[in-house]
Amino acid sequence: MKDRHTAIVLSAGRGTRMQTEKPKQYLEVKGKPIIVYTLEAFQNCSFIDDIILVCGKEDVEYCRREIAEKYHLDKISKIVPGGKERYHSVFKGLEEIEDTDYVYIHDGARPFVTEEILDRIRRAVEEHHAAIAGMPVKDTIKIADEDGFARYTPKRSEVWQIQTPQAFDFTLIREAYRKLLEDPNAEKLGITDDAMVVETMTEQKVYLVEASYSNIKITTPEDLKWFL
């Protein structure tokens, strides 16, 4: 029986660093909202079966009418409102999944993901159960102390900049998130990505997969030049 692959695309952020009234993922570039480029990557991916789109509570109807329907994104099976923090939004997406084998969690404002990247992630998650996109850093990294002085320099070969998608066995990521949400100290853990949830709440190791330096997240106005 064929494995089932589900994507959760996060579109609930407000993107204050973009300095625009409209959330960055809905800004139009070359005639389409940024989020559409992201969703089309999953829509056109041969092995992705369905997409859960998590957006702001006030954006659900807009996403249904102006995103899913207008651009014929029929792999979007559900559009659900997000939560207070990113990890709340991911959990809301996970709760909507009834049956799947692998889950791919991706930032809606990261539109340059390709099927080649997705396929590398797919092969890695099927083998290692937890796999995340990233790239080795190009620059020397310094770890700072509380006073702003360089404390030490990690080996550059051991430091990666992490991206999305991040993919996991469905049961693994669902249980990791359930443990996180049941933890009374969850907000103090400083969770920044899905891999950190797995690393903190389980014994599962997370495999690093080389993606692309162009697989950026649109964050500031300068990032829009990548569409040129």
Side-chain angles (χ1 to χ4, degrees), residues 59-154:
D59 298 326
V60 171
E61 187 54 37
Y62 168 83
C63 286
R64 189 183 320 281
R65 184 182 65 254
E66 298 296 327
I67 302 297
E69 294 178 2
K70 182 176 181 179
Y71 293 94
H72 310 291
L73 299 167
D74 56 16
K75 282 189 181 180
I76 297 178
S77 57
K78 295 181 181 178
I79 301 174
V80 298
K84 178 183 176 183
E85 302 292 343
R86 183 186 187 278
Y87 62 86
H88 293 116
S89 294
V90 173
F91 187 65
K92 283 180 175 288
L94 290 169
E95 285 185 310
E96 296 295 327
I97 299 174
E98 297 174 5
D99 181 37
T100 199
D101 295 287
Y102 301 102
V103 176
Y104 300 70
I105 303 168
H106 190 67
D107 301 320
R110 202 178 288 271
F112 303 115
V113 63
T114 64
E115 181 154 2
E116 183 181 2
I117 293 172
L118 288 169
D119 191 56
R120 289 202 292 271
I121 295 288
R122 177 189 62 79
R123 286 184 273 117
V125 73
E126 288 177 349
E127 180 177 355
H128 301 288
H129 311 292
I132 61 175
M135 290 298 291
V137 299
K138 296 180 179 180
D139 301 317
T140 296
I141 301 297
K142 298 288 185 182
I143 304 301
D145 63 19
E146 294 180 354
D147 298 315
F149 291 94
R151 186 155 52 94
Y152 71 94
T153 306

Side-chain angles (χ1 to χ4, degrees), residues 11-227:
S11 186
R14 308 317 293 174
T16 55
R17 282 180 289 179
M18 186 56 76
Q19 302 171 18
T20 59
E21 187 174 327
K22 182 182 289 189
K24 60 188 176 184
Q25 61 271 27
Y26 304 131
L27 294 176
E28 286 199 7
V29 180
K30 294 187 175 181
K32 290 191 293 190
I34 289 171
I35 186 68
V36 172
Y37 292 96
T38 305
L39 290 165
E40 284 179 337
F42 289 90
Q43 172 78 25
N44 298 330
C45 181
S46 59
F47 58 83
I48 294 295
D49 296 289
D50 65 314
I51 303 166
I52 308 291
L53 178 58
V54 183
C55 60
K57 294 179 181 179
E58 66 278 18
D59 298 326
V60 171
E61 187 54 37
Y62 168 83
C63 286
R64 189 183 320 281
R65 184 182 65 254
E66 298 296 327
I67 302 297
E69 294 178 2
K70 182 176 181 179
Y71 293 94
H72 310 291
L73 299 167
D74 56 16
K75 282 189 181 180
I76 297 178
S77 57
K78 295 181 181 178
I79 301 174
V80 298
K84 178 183 176 183
E85 302 292 343
R86 183 186 187 278
Y87 62 86
H88 293 116
S89 294
V90 173
F91 187 65
K92 283 180 175 288
L94 290 169
E95 285 185 310
E96 296 295 327
I97 299 174
E98 297 174 5
D99 181 37
T100 199
D101 295 287
Y102 301 102
V103 176
Y104 300 70
I105 303 168
H106 190 67
D107 301 320
R110 202 178 288 271
F112 303 115
V113 63
T114 64
E115 181 154 2
E116 183 181 2
I117 293 172
L118 288 169
D119 191 56
R120 289 202 292 271
I121 295 288
R122 177 189 62 79
R123 286 184 273 117
V125 73
E126 288 177 349
E127 180 177 355
H128 301 288
H129 311 292
I132 61 175
M135 290 298 291
V137 299
K138 296 180 179 180
D139 301 317
T140 296
I141 301 297
K142 298 288 185 182
I143 304 301
D145 63 19
E146 294 180 354
D147 298 315
F149 291 94
R151 186 155 52 94
Y152 71 94
T153 306
K155 292 181 180 179
R156 189 165 59 185
S157 61
E158 296 178 353
V159 182
W160 284 51
Q161 58 188 57
I162 299 307
Q163 306 171 351
T164 65
Q166 303 193 357
F168 309 89
D169 287 354
F170 175 50
T171 53
L172 170 69
I173 192 66
R174 179 182 59 188
E175 293 309 309
Y177 263 95
R178 282 181 178 171
K179 288 181 181 179
L180 175 68
L181 271 294
E182 290 170 359
D183 190 330
N185 296 311
E187 292 189 5
K188 299 178 182 179
L189 295 176
I191 297 295
T192 55
D193 72 347
D194 312 293
M196 191 175 176
V197 178
V198 170
E199 293 159 357
T200 305
M201 296 295 159
T202 78
E203 298 298 317
Q204 176 65 50
K205 289 185 176 181
V206 177
Y207 190 77
L208 296 166
V209 179
E210 282 202 17
S212 169
Y213 289 111
S214 65
N215 183 32
I216 68 161
K217 185 177 181 180
I218 302 298
T219 304
T220 64
E222 291 75 21
D223 296 331
L224 296 176
K225 67 183 180 184
W226 286 85
F227 282 98

